[in-house]
């Protein structure tokens, strides 16, 4: 049997985890990561091409006879990398994990996602969408709601486009800033005002080809920079999988009420979809509500869900592309994975780069995924806000957390910071 050449696009901890998992597959021939980081270089070959540079990717894919392209982040998807391949005679038969532009709208436009959910009866908060021309109506709508107020820029705003306002006055000011003064540029030309959902958040995942789907393990992400979920939102400071408050019964509701209707909804709407679905959920009194869709895996959720998947990930990707996904039975490790993210001091605001990272090789009880690193000579240096993700699998939550914290403290660079309370809130379940 011919082995598979894979190109993985991206450079974060999520991509290192995907690359690490793919590198274990007996079905793999060559694995390339564009552009990758110092961690992916150890399990594949980095290629200095941006995921948004479709022409250079085309050249590379043809030169290296790539069979499968896996798209890590959302940007290339929203920009239409999958459509670009389908429109090209030489590329159209290459399999891609990641939806076409039409499906990527689930993440690219909050208004599109909300309309989709309402149309297909998928549980989500009540909402209305406003533009500059309907700002007055928007303010009138705010007055009909109870605080807090949830305002969402329609487009991609690097994870910053959602505002939770405590008072009506603050919400009015922010809505005006977004619509009239383009606070988030083009992304806030439209703003979704949404009912506040009071509950506890988690992330659910599936992979689909538009007909079949496979539910993947869920995870809880820790978005805020500070201890006790305080301070600014980040890309994610850690993750836990499985999620103790999302038991079998709850996850069955997620599949029946959210995952299945989403895949069926895409089909009914004539939207082809091959790739990951990421459901940002709120558990409200044991019922799931969708707060957002993403069209990729989460980061740092990936760093705790992939270590729990026993199956060959490449086999799952190939089955997705070949229409054989139903034949795959997911086998999960029952243990708990705890991921702690080490970041650069100052992140998510300004931070220094180029700091030498030491102690990586001393970690032997946890997995180390590089999030923002590069290598210079023999050194691994920091090159991003989120720098290293440390994941431990252990028999219980506490043991996994304790070991991840210990491993994280073995890794040092100037001004390194991590949250010491990842997963602690889950001990009560
Ligand atoms: P998003 O970018 O859509 O994930 O939103 C960012 C964060 O805002 C989420 O992680 C939630 O904590 C919060 N959020 C979004 N929508 C709602 C909502 N309807 N009710 C309560 N919190 C929300
Ligand atoms: N951890 C959240 C995300 O990847 O969007």
């Amino acid at each position: 049997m011919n082995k598979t050449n894979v190109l993985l696009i991206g450079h974060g901890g999520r991509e290192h985890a995907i690359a690490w998992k793919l590198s274990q597959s007996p079905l793999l021939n060559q694995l390339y990561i564009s552009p990758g980081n110092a961690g992916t270089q150890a399990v594949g070959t980095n290629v200095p091409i941006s995921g948004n540079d479709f022409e250079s990717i085309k050249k590379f894919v043809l030169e290296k006879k790539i069979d499968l392209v896996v798209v890590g982040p959302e940007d290339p998807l929203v920009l239409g990398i999958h459509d670009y391949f389908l429109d090209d005679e030489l590329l159209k038969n290459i399999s891609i994990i990641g939806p076409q532009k039409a499906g990527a709208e689930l993440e690219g436009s909050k208004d599109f996602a909300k309309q989709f959910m309402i149309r297909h009866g998928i549980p989500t908060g009540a909402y209305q969408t406003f533009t500059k021309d309907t700002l007055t109506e928007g303010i009138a709508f705010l007055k009909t709601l109870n605080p807090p107020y949830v305002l969402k820029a329609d487009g991609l705003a690097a994870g910053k486009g959602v505002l939770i306002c405590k008072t009506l006055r603050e919400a009015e000011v922010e809505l005006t800033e977004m619509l009239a003064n383009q606070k988030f540029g083009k992304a806030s030309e439209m703003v979704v005002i949404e009912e506040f959902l009071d509950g506890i958040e988690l992330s659910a995942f599936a992979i689909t080809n538009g007909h079949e789907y496979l539910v993947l393990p869920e995870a809880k992400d820790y978005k805020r920079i500070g201890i006790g979920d305080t301070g600014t939102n980040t890309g994610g400071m850690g993750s836990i999988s499985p999620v103790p408050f999302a038991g079998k019964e709850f996850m069955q509701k997620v599949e029946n009420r959210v995952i299945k209707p989403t895949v069926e909804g895409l089909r009914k709407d004539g939207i082809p979809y091959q790739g990951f679905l990421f459901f940002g959920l709120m558990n409200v009194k044991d019922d799931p509500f969708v707060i957002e869709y993403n069209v990729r895996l989460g980061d740092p959720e990936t760093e705790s869900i992939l270590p729990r998947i026993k199956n060959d990930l490449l086999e799952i990707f190939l089955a997705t592309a070949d229409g054989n996904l139903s034949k795959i039975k997911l086998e999960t490790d029952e243990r708990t994975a705890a991921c702690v993210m080490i970041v650069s001091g100052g992140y998510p605001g300004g931070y220094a780069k180029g700091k030498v990272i030491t102690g990586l090789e001393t970690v032997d009880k946890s997995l180390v995924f590089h999030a923002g690193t590069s290598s210079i000579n023999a050194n691994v240096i920091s090159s991003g806000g989120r720098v290293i993700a440390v994941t431990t699998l252990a028999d219980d939550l506490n043991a996994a957390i304790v070991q991840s914290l210990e491993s994280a403290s073995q890794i040092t660079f100037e001004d390194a910071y991590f949250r010491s309370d990842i997963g602690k809130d889950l001990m009560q379940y």
Side-chain angles (χ1 to χ4, degrees):
M1 196 176 112
N2 284 339
K3 292 203 183 186
T4 310
N5 289 327
V6 180
L7 173 66
L8 167 63
I9 292 173
H11 58 83
R14 166 182 51 212
E15 286 75 24
H16 186 188
I18 295 172
W20 162 80
K21 187 76 180 147
L22 287 176
S23 72
Q24 298 161 18
S25 171
L27 305 172
L28 182 70
N29 186 34
Q30 292 292 326
L31 172 62
Y32 300 95
I33 309 97
S34 66
N37 61 36
T40 60
Q41 184 65 50
V43 288
T45 306
N46 286 351
V47 196
I49 301 176
S50 151
N52 298 343
D53 179 0
F54 298 170
E55 279 187 25
S56 301
I57 289 188
K58 171 177 175 178
K59 225 172 126 232
F60 182 83
V61 158
L62 294 175
E63 186 187 309
K64 299 292 183 187
K65 300 194 164 48
I66 299 295
D67 307 294
L68 174 76
V69 177
V70 181
V71 186
E74 66 277 17
D75 284 356
L77 297 169
V78 174
L79 289 172
I81 190 168
H82 195 151
D83 312 67
Y84 177 88
F85 271 62
L86 288 174
D87 288 344
D88 190 299
E89 271 310 306
L90 299 173
L91 300 177
K92 68 178 188 200
N93 293 322
I94 295 170
S95 303
I96 302 205
I97 299 297
Q100 289 154 250
K101 220 171 177 167
E105 276 294 273
L106 282 180
E107 176 162 359
S109 165
K110 302 269 188 205
D111 178 60
F112 176 87
K114 293 298 282 189
Q115 288 192 35
F116 178 89
M117 287 184 257
I118 301 296
R119 185 160 64 243
H120 299 294
I122 295 162
T124 189
Y127 84 106
Q128 281 191 33
T129 302
F130 300 93
T131 63
K132 195 173 169 183
D133 297 332
T134 56
L135 176 57
T136 319
E137 289 88 333
I139 289 180
F141 181 61
L142 283 173
K143 289 182 176 148
T144 69
L145 301 174
N146 295 317
Y149 305 87
V150 183
L151 309 184
K152 299 185 172 183
D154 174 63
L156 291 182
K160 298 190 174 70
V162 176
L163 300 174
I164 314 274
C165 303
K166 289 202 181 77
T167 65
L168 180 60
R169 180 78 199 117
E170 189 190 340
E172 287 173 355
V173 170
E174 290 294 352
L175 183 67
T176 309
E177 278 298 305
M178 285 162 94
L179 289 177
N181 301 330
Q182 302 218 332
K183 177 167 179 158
F184 298 108
K186 243 184 114 50
S188 65
E189 276 176 3
M190 274 206 283
V191 173
V192 168
I193 301 181
E194 192 177 304
E195 171 193 3
F196 181 82
L197 297 168
D198 196 4
I200 173 158
E201 261 180 275
L202 74 152
S203 308
F205 300 93
I207 187 166
T208 181
N209 52 26
H211 302 276
E212 311 156 291
Y213 64 85
L214 183 69
V215 182
L216 303 174
E218 77 289 350
K220 181 164 195 301
D221 171 25
Y222 292 79
K223 287 208 170 79
R224 304 293 191 99
I225 188 72
I227 303 276
D229 281 324
T230 53
T232 328
N233 260 325
T234 70
M237 295 296 292
S239 63
I240 302 287
S241 176
V243 178
F245 62 81
K248 246 200 168 113
E249 207 179 318
F250 179 81
M251 289 311 295
Q252 197 56 56
K253 287 182 192 171
V254 172
E255 180 170 353
N256 295 342
R257 297 179 194 176
V258 176
I259 299 178
K260 204 160 178 241
T262 297
V263 174
E264 281 171 2
L266 286 164
R267 203 171 54 230
K268 281 182 200 152
D269 289 350
I271 300 172
Y273 198 104
Q274 177 162 297
F276 292 104
L277 280 166
F278 167 162
F279 309 87
L281 302 176
M282 193 70 87
N283 175 335
V284 182
K285 301 193 181 95
D286 277 331
D287 285 320
F289 288 79
V290 178
I291 49 180
E292 66 164 345
Y293 282 115
N294 293 307
V295 298
R296 51 175 172 83
L297 283 178
D299 193 350
E301 289 95 330
T302 306
E303 292 92 308
S304 63
I305 68 174
L306 290 190
R308 294 192 55 233
I309 295 179
K310 291 182 176 168
N311 305 62
D312 178 340
L313 186 61
L314 183 50
E315 190 185 359
I316 293 179
F317 288 163
L318 295 173
T320 303
D322 296 343
N324 287 321
L325 196 51
S326 317
K327 293 190 187 135
I328 304 241
K329 192 179 173 310
L330 194 77
E331 288 176 50
T332 47
D333 193 321
E334 293 305 312
R335 289 179 297 170
T336 292
C339 165
V340 171
M341 186 69 78
I342 313 175
V343 306
S344 306
Y347 172 80
Y351 55 85
K353 293 183 188 175
K355 301 296 177 192
V356 175
I357 305 166
T358 57
L360 291 165
E361 66 295 338
T362 66
V363 176
D364 57 3
K365 296 194 178 71
S366 307
L367 298 161
V368 174
F369 297 119
H370 292 225
T373 67
S374 51
S375 39
I376 290 191
N377 303 323
N379 288 327
V380 175
I381 61 165
S382 66
S383 62
R386 296 193 291 173
V387 179
I388 298 281
V390 174
T391 301
T392 312
L393 275 168
D395 288 336
D396 66 64
L397 177 61
N398 190 51
I401 295 169
V402 168
Q403 184 55 55
S404 280
L405 292 175
E406 189 176 322
S407 298
S409 57
Q410 285 170 242
I411 298 169
T412 50
F413 55 94
E414 196 183 316
D415 278 341
Y417 165 77
F418 57 86
R419 269 180 64 173
S420 55
D421 67 334
I422 298 299
K424 296 264 162 77
D425 59 320
L426 300 177
M427 300 284 192
Q428 58 174 303
Y429 295 96

